[in-house]
Amino acid sequence: MDQIKCPVLTEKTIGLLEKNRYIFDVNINSTKTEIKKWIEFFFNVKIITINSHRLPKKKKKFNTITGYSTCYKRVIIKLKPGYSIPLFSSKWKNK
């Protein structure tokens, strides 16, 4: 479960929950098939499609040192009708 970082909860993603779509930040090295296996096993759901994209790096500056923020891959998952993922459960409290 280390591959899946956390669910993304914004105004836009909460609107997508009505269409049975969930958005997660995942490890940048994980593939779609790995993510599908993890989510289907961990939440006991069936997935129709997975779309993914990498977020752009953001420039950070500490005094004279310039660097970049950590980069994640964001995944949009569409579930079969009748399935859902509890986003506010105890599984996410440790993350």
Side-chain angles (χ1 to χ4, degrees), residues 66-84:
T66 303
Y68 292 96
S69 64
T70 57
C71 199
Y72 293 109
K73 186 186 281 188
R74 190 160 282 174
V75 180
I76 303 170
I77 297 168
K78 184 176 181 182
L79 300 179
K80 288 188 178 181
Y83 290 98
S84 66

Side-chain angles (χ1 to χ4, degrees), residues 19-59:
K19 297 178 183 178
N20 214 13
R21 294 183 182 186
Y22 296 86
I23 300 175
F24 294 96
D25 284 339
V26 296
N27 190 358
I28 200 155
N29 297 325
S30 57
T31 62
K32 287 183 181 182
T33 54
E34 290 174 353
I35 296 166
K36 183 177 180 178
K37 283 183 196 175
W38 276 106
I39 290 178
E40 285 183 345
F41 175 74
F42 193 69
F43 293 110
N44 197 19
V45 295
K46 297 292 180 184
I47 296 175
I48 296 175
T49 59
I50 294 179
N51 295 325
S52 66
H53 65 280
R54 291 184 181 186
L55 298 173
K57 292 181 181 179
K58 293 186 180 177
K59 199 171 198 178

